[in-house]
Amino acid sequence: MLSNSRAAYRAHNHQRCIDAAMSRAHERCAERRARLTPIREAVLALIWQSHRPLGAYAIADKLPPVNGKKVQAPSIYRAIDFLLELGLIHRLPSQNSYIGCPFPGNEHSDVFMVCRGCGSAAEVSADALNQIIADTSQRSGFLLESQCVELTGLCLACRDGELP
Ligand SMILES: [Zn+2]
Ligand SMILES: [Zn+2]
Ligand SMILES: [Zn+2]
């Protein structure tokens, strides 16, 4: 999944990320027999506007009218819960914000590289790390229910800017 994490750093055609995310969302909803209502779709599209996580207030603030109507906060929160439930987005606990998942529906654990320069968060798969976490939990008799690993630092693009 390294190519995916690189995509977040480098200048790229982000419209392709958005298009791919929206078509995966439709597939995922069809599999789960869930409905991607216009509000859910609008919230997902907004979260996918960039690779920077968005908080609920920012989502409420930036969400364009849906079917000509301003979407009320409770509907937005319900849409966020729905998207989380289907694994289409993840919540970053440290900043209480949301980011689109590039590979929903696959068994994976969240490991994010969060850039303190540009604010981007790239989801990467780290199978070896997940194995260590699973083994450690098991040895301790701990029932692991969820995990989210956030790495903080500077992405490649921001590092390039800092290098002389
Ligand atoms: Zn992109
Ligand atoms: Zn994910
Ligand atoms: Zn950066």
Side-chain angles (χ1 to χ4, degrees), residues 134-143:
D135 290 347
T136 307
S137 306
Q138 202 178 17
R139 270 203 309 275
S140 317
F142 180 74
L143 176 64

Side-chain angles (χ1 to χ4, degrees), residues 51-86:
H51 291 284
R52 290 179 195 86
L54 273 187
Y57 287 121
I59 294 170
D61 199 44
K62 292 181 180 166
L63 193 70
V66 175
N67 296 333
K69 283 194 210 134
K70 182 170 164 46
V71 184
Q72 298 303 314
S75 307
I76 294 175
Y77 294 134
R78 280 196 300 273
I80 290 172
D81 285 344
F82 170 86
L83 297 170
L84 282 171
E85 171 75 28
L86 259 75

